[in-house]
Amino acid sequence: MMFGHCIIATVAVALATFASAQSTSRFGFGQFDSCRQPGTIALTFDDGPHTGITPYIADTLSRYGMRATFFVIGNRVRRRAWVLQRLASQGHQIANHTWSHPNMTQQSAQTMRNELGWTSYVIREAIGRSPRHFRAPYLAYNDAVRAQVEARGMTTVATNLDTNDWRQPGEDAIVNQITTALRNRSTSYIHLAHDIHAVTARSLLRVIDAIRRSGFRTVTIAECLGQSAYL
């Protein structure tokens, strides 16, 4: 009998250890804040689409052979579907950033489902495909948010290189932060900026130059994580 209890206890400990590891893994259950491959950087932009800044960023990156991921707000998409179509035609990735930019940790389960579902629907209307990847506004996550994301077959994305451009730090601060980070070739980055701020657009050419000089390779989030971009 004691032998049986020991087996049960051992299995219980193993399952608990496995669950803990899975919940904290960057490359399993949970959320991703860096890429699988060192020397890569995923450029990502939140809160668009903006009718001026978003196309400028996309066009400029495309001119240098770079592709980015745009986490869009659903209620801005329907009147600006042409922007998403332009991004998709250039090979940029479109991802989900909720319908109305709420703090998802403070929402009911139904509201979270609506925020995710409505946004994926209008993205699909615009480009014919549903996004796989999601980033929460304010990077506000908890288990309930992650559960809703995963229930839709989606992947949660965070960041390990937040430019804080929404604070309007100035072009030099943004470029210096990225340049400093790129000195470490042994790691990878998921960059975070916003395609609604002029300072982000103004600093872009210098950011591109810093990336090219560093030897880092730019990737989309799907490439960063070794996943498909769309469901």
Side-chain angles (χ1 to χ4, degrees), residues 22-32 146 150 154-157:
Q22 291 293 294
S23 66
T24 58
S25 172
R26 289 196 308 227
F27 303 125
F29 176 85
Q31 65 197 45
F32 294 79
R146 283 187 284 267
E150 291 175 9
M154 300 174 70
T155 300
T156 303
V157 177

Side-chain angles (χ1 to χ4, degrees), residues 11-225:
V11 170
V13 170
L15 288 173
T17 302
F18 175 78
S20 175
Q22 291 293 294
S23 66
T24 58
S25 172
R26 289 196 308 227
F27 303 125
F29 176 85
Q31 65 197 45
F32 294 79
D33 61 8
S34 63
C35 301
R36 288 182 178 271
Q37 184 66 43
T40 56
I41 179 170
L43 296 175
T44 74
F45 300 89
D46 289 5
D47 291 359
H50 186 282
T51 56
I53 295 174
T54 304
Y56 170 79
I57 289 174
D59 291 351
T60 303
L61 289 171
S62 293
R63 194 162 68 246
Y64 288 91
M66 297 180 176
R67 295 184 297 170
T69 302
F70 294 83
F71 287 85
V72 300
I73 296 176
N75 65 22
R76 296 179 178 174
V77 169
R78 180 156 282 167
R79 297 186 305 276
R80 303 170 182 177
W82 66 269
V83 180
L84 267 63
Q85 292 159 5
R86 181 165 168 174
L87 298 179
S89 72
Q90 295 172 323
H92 300 295
Q93 182 182 342
I94 312 299
N96 189 318
H97 195 47
T98 73
W99 179 261
S100 62
H101 207 273
N103 184 325
M104 290 283 274
T105 66
Q106 299 173 0
Q107 310 306 311
S108 68
Q110 184 59 56
T111 298
M112 285 192 280
R113 285 192 289 271
N114 291 344
E115 290 283 335
L116 292 167
W118 294 346
T119 304
S120 289
Y121 176 79
V122 294
I123 291 172
R124 183 175 181 83
E125 273 196 326
I127 65 171
R129 292 172 290 181
S130 296
R132 175 168 183 172
H133 297 96
F134 168 77
R135 179 184 280 143
Y138 316 109
L139 297 172
Y141 294 106
N142 58 20
D143 288 344
V145 175
R146 283 187 284 267
Q148 290 296 331
V149 175
E150 291 175 9
R152 297 190 63 87
M154 300 174 70
T155 300
T156 303
V157 177
T159 181
N160 62 349
L161 184 54
D162 187 350
T163 64
N164 286 302
D165 55 347
W166 61 275
R167 295 181 184 272
Q168 301 295 321
E171 297 171 48
D172 289 345
I174 291 173
V175 175
N176 290 340
Q177 180 197 15
I178 293 173
T179 300
T180 299
L182 295 178
R183 290 173 184 158
N184 184 359
R185 290 293 306 281
S186 65
T187 191
S188 64
Y189 294 103
I190 296 179
H191 151 278
L192 170 58
H194 298 81
D195 52 324
I196 58 171
H197 299 307
V199 66
T200 304
R202 290 196 304 267
S203 63
L204 184 60
L205 285 174
R206 294 172 62 192
V207 168
I208 290 172
D209 183 62
I211 293 171
R212 296 177 76 190
R213 288 174 180 273
S214 73
F216 267 71
R217 181 169 60 92
T218 56
V219 293
T220 63
I221 283 294
E223 294 166 334
C224 163
L225 303 181

